[in-house]
Amino acid sequence: MRLLPALACCCLLAVAVKEGLVALQEVLGERDVDWGPLAPDAWLGKVSGDLTEAQFYAVLPAGAGMLLMAALAHRLASRRHRLRGFDICYGTGLFRWVLTAALIGLLLSHALWWWTRTQQWQPTFVAFVSVSPSIVLVYGAGWRVALTAGGLGAVLATPLAIAAVDLVCRPLGLPNVVGNVTGMWSGAILAFTICRWLPWMRVAQPPPAVPRRIPSLSWLPRRVLADFTEAQFYGNELAGLGLLAGLLLTWALDPGLPGYASNLVPQVLAAQLLTASLAVWWHADRWHGHGWYPTFVPVVSLAPAAVLAHDGSWPVIVFAAVLGAAVGPPLAAAIIARLPADFHPFIGSVFSMTVTTLAGTGLLRLAELTGML
């Protein structure tokens, strides 16, 4: 109950974001900005956009802001500075190796699977936020680990996601995120199984336990911001601020560019903020009890997918936020508790994204067909 004032403030912010940015977007109107090599259809634009594809933004300034602030958070954490926020990469000190493996996986994915993107969008980003960084967090630092992680991510997760999107999601009219996360968890199961047989891969010692503190009022909004970068395994509010600052800068310059040129960035961002706020508040006791809880699950799956599929009215946003916050994190936690010790917990999170998104968008489609929406 003590976090209710913080929850109310965060919910009001979500309302202000949607209504305020929609009104401002009408004032800004259409912009004809020449992004040059950073345009979405240019090679550099595609690669750099993949840095924040998991959040449904896919623009370089958002990715650059996230990485710059993540590097700052890592620097502050190494000095135990009081402004470091939540310890990046869960206090492992592996930020540089996590980023290295993720970038290797991303670049290899584009090198191997670029030809699938000639006619339509493809999930070449999945290695960056799944297999590649997660293997580093389980097996530790070093070039052998980073190269193995990057290679497995590009060879396994990316083609499985592409196949799931092309062969299942598009023919059945399902949100592409379902195929993306299916490629992530299925590729990860294969990758971590393979790692057991590689003689140079040795499971690292877990980091020291993080002291558990009773959440303060500032904890909730900080945790909401941090959840925006959990997909990249950062989980830090400074990185979240950098991500959102880059997104809003891009949106102000060219409102139609982020969010797959949907003109729904205000609605997507409001849905994510509301979902994160409800999830963090709802599961605050579990955060306190376990030290970590997968409240980010619906923030990068059901919430934005529902908005893009149904235009982001308030009934859609509220339904997706409530269902996602109530179902997504507990389902993820239940799966995580049953994973082998050498399988990273993110597998449970992305599997939960698959189920939660299918259930939520299915119910929304049913409501639309019956005239309830």
Side-chain angles (χ1 to χ4, degrees), residues 50 53 110 113-118 120-125 161-163 165-166 170 180:
D50 278 355
E53 188 83 61
H110 279 268
W113 310 107
W114 62 270
W115 51 273
T116 65
R117 293 192 66 157
T118 55
Q120 55 190 351
W121 176 90
Q122 293 288 17
T124 48
F125 76 99
I162 291 171
V165 168
D166 282 348
R170 287 187 171 123
N180 301 345

Side-chain angles (χ1 to χ4, degrees), residues 61-146:
M66 176 186 68
L67 293 183
L68 286 172
M69 294 300 283
L72 174 62
H74 172 68
R75 181 76 172 176
L76 294 174
S78 65
R79 297 183 175 187
R80 309 304 298 172
H81 196 284
R82 63 184 181 86
L83 296 179
R84 67 186 183 277
F86 297 104
D87 285 334
I88 196 164
C89 295
Y90 319 112
T92 60
L94 291 170
F95 167 70
R96 285 178 288 186
W97 289 108
V98 164
L99 178 59
T100 298
L103 289 175
I104 291 171
L106 177 61
L107 293 175
L108 277 177
S109 293
H110 279 268
L112 293 173
W113 310 107
W114 62 270
W115 51 273
T116 65
R117 293 192 66 157
T118 55
Q119 300 298 325
Q120 55 190 351
W121 176 90
Q122 293 288 17
T124 48
F125 76 99
V126 296
F128 185 77
V129 292
S130 61
V131 170
S132 299
S134 67
I135 288 178
V136 171
L137 289 170
V138 172
Y139 286 92
W143 279 108
R144 287 189 297 181
V145 172

Side-chain angles (χ1 to χ4, degrees), residues 185-201:
W185 61 258
S186 58
I189 290 172
L190 291 173
F192 280 103
T193 301
I194 291 171
C195 285
R196 290 176 171 178
W197 298 95
L198 300 178
W200 62 89
M201 300 294 280

Side-chain angles (χ1 to χ4, degrees), residues 129-342:
V129 292
S130 61
V131 170
S132 299
S134 67
I135 288 178
V136 171
L137 289 170
V138 172
Y139 286 92
W143 279 108
R144 287 189 297 181
V145 172
L147 290 170
T148 302
L152 288 174
V155 171
L156 296 174
T158 303
L160 286 171
I162 291 171
V165 168
D166 282 348
L167 302 179
V168 180
C169 294
R170 287 187 171 123
L172 297 180
L174 300 174
N176 286 337
V177 65
V178 173
N180 301 345
V181 294
T182 297
M184 292 181 195
W185 61 258
S186 58
I189 290 172
L190 291 173
F192 280 103
T193 301
I194 291 171
C195 285
R196 290 176 171 178
W197 298 95
L198 300 178
W200 62 89
M201 300 294 280
R202 294 288 184 269
V203 175
Q205 292 295 320
V210 178
R212 299 171 184 174
R213 300 182 178 89
I214 297 174
S216 64
L217 288 179
S218 66
W219 176 84
L220 190 145
R222 289 174 49 230
R223 190 62 251 169
V224 167
L225 280 173
D227 270 7
F228 274 81
T229 61
E230 279 285 349
Q232 284 82 5
F233 300 86
Y234 302 157
N236 176 268
E237 64 268 44
L238 297 179
L241 280 173
L243 171 77
L244 296 179
L247 168 68
L248 292 175
L249 173 62
T250 308
W251 175 84
L253 294 173
D254 189 351
L257 180 64
Y260 314 113
S262 63
N263 287 312
L264 290 172
V265 168
Q267 292 89 338
V268 167
L269 185 53
Q272 290 174 315
L273 285 170
L274 183 61
T275 302
S277 302
L278 289 174
V280 170
W281 174 76
W282 207 323
H283 304 290
D285 289 343
R286 294 180 176 91
W287 264 104
H288 176 57
H290 299 290
W292 182 86
Y293 203 71
T295 47
F296 79 103
V297 163
V299 178
V300 291
S301 57
L302 176 58
V307 168
L308 293 177
H310 299 279
D311 292 335
S313 64
W314 273 117
V316 169
I317 290 174
V318 171
F319 173 83
V322 172
L323 179 66
V327 175
L331 177 59
I335 299 167
I336 289 169
R338 291 162 175 79
L339 289 173
D342 58 342

